[in-house]
Amino acid sequence: MNKSEKFDGDLQELARFGKAISHPARLLILKYLADTKTCVSGDISDFIPLSRTTVSQHLKELRDLWLIHGEIDGLKINYCLCSTDINRYLGIFDEFFGKIKSVEITCKSIL
Amino acid sequence: MNKSEKFDGDLQELARFGKAISHPARLLILKYLADTKTCVSGDISDFIPLSRTTVSQHLKELRDLWLIHGEIDGLKINYCLCSTDINRYLGIFDEFFGKIKSVEITCKSIL
DNA sequence: AATAAATGTCGTATGTTTGCGACATTAGAA
DNA sequence: TTCTAATGTCGCAAACATACGACATTTATT
């Protein structure tokens, strides 16, 4: 039923990024990793008001898009931001919204 | 089941924006409006490879977030971008990702 | 070897999104 | 006033997302 494949690859990719940041838990994970630089999966779960299982799933979604990366360290897993891929998505985002931002005011009404 | 209310208002708002741009049809609508400055609902439907009903729903979602605005003109409805609100969301986005962007490379592995 | 700790995956329930045809509404044209 | 065109809303079905407990796996500790 999903007809996303009918659209440009660029738009699909930006949409995928939009979906990744469309849940506050995932945003909070990114924020937390930006603050701590790197940290263990369990610390993230403790920090987020959801069950460990659910957090684990959100981590997976971020991993699938290469926004974060997990490295095994014995029994623990150290997570960190993947700056390269984040910046790639930010580039796509800026490219798209740069054009939109430069559009002059268009609403006729006060609203 | 959705526990979004457990998170900061800022994060919720950015997540809402993420959701709005998480479908290529909605991105294409924004792009089309940026190109045409203003245009009629029917033109948008013709431009997008989905049924008129579905496009109408996507328009509603963008309207609900005030990313676009529709003005009645007789039998037709002229849509346009709401620069002010778009820029507000872009501000929230930049505020958040500015911090993330400034994080030094953190991945230990080559991946 | 037995146990405990940290984490991921599976199964499942419930909620949300996507997509569309059928219908309702409103404005202009004949 | 009747007809047609442009659009939105309703109701449904299929797909996807969210959330979590129970289980599996792996590694360190005793």
Side-chain angles (χ1 to χ4, degrees), chain B residues 88-101:
Chain B
R88 195 175 64 79
Y89 280 113
L90 292 179
I92 295 169
F93 182 95
D94 286 345
E95 159 80 13
F96 186 89
F97 281 99
K99 283 175 190 160
I100 284 181
K101 202 189 273 181

Side-chain angles (χ1 to χ4, degrees), chain A residues 78-108:
Chain A
N78 274 294
Y79 275 101
C80 56
L81 298 176
C82 283
S83 300
T84 314
D85 286 69
I86 289 176
N87 286 334
R88 197 175 62 79
Y89 280 113
L90 292 179
I92 295 169
F93 182 94
D94 287 343
E95 159 79 13
F96 187 90
F97 280 99
K99 284 174 190 161
I100 284 181
K101 202 189 271 181
S102 66
V103 173
E104 299 299 304
I105 180 69
T106 41
C107 291
K108 287 176 193 166

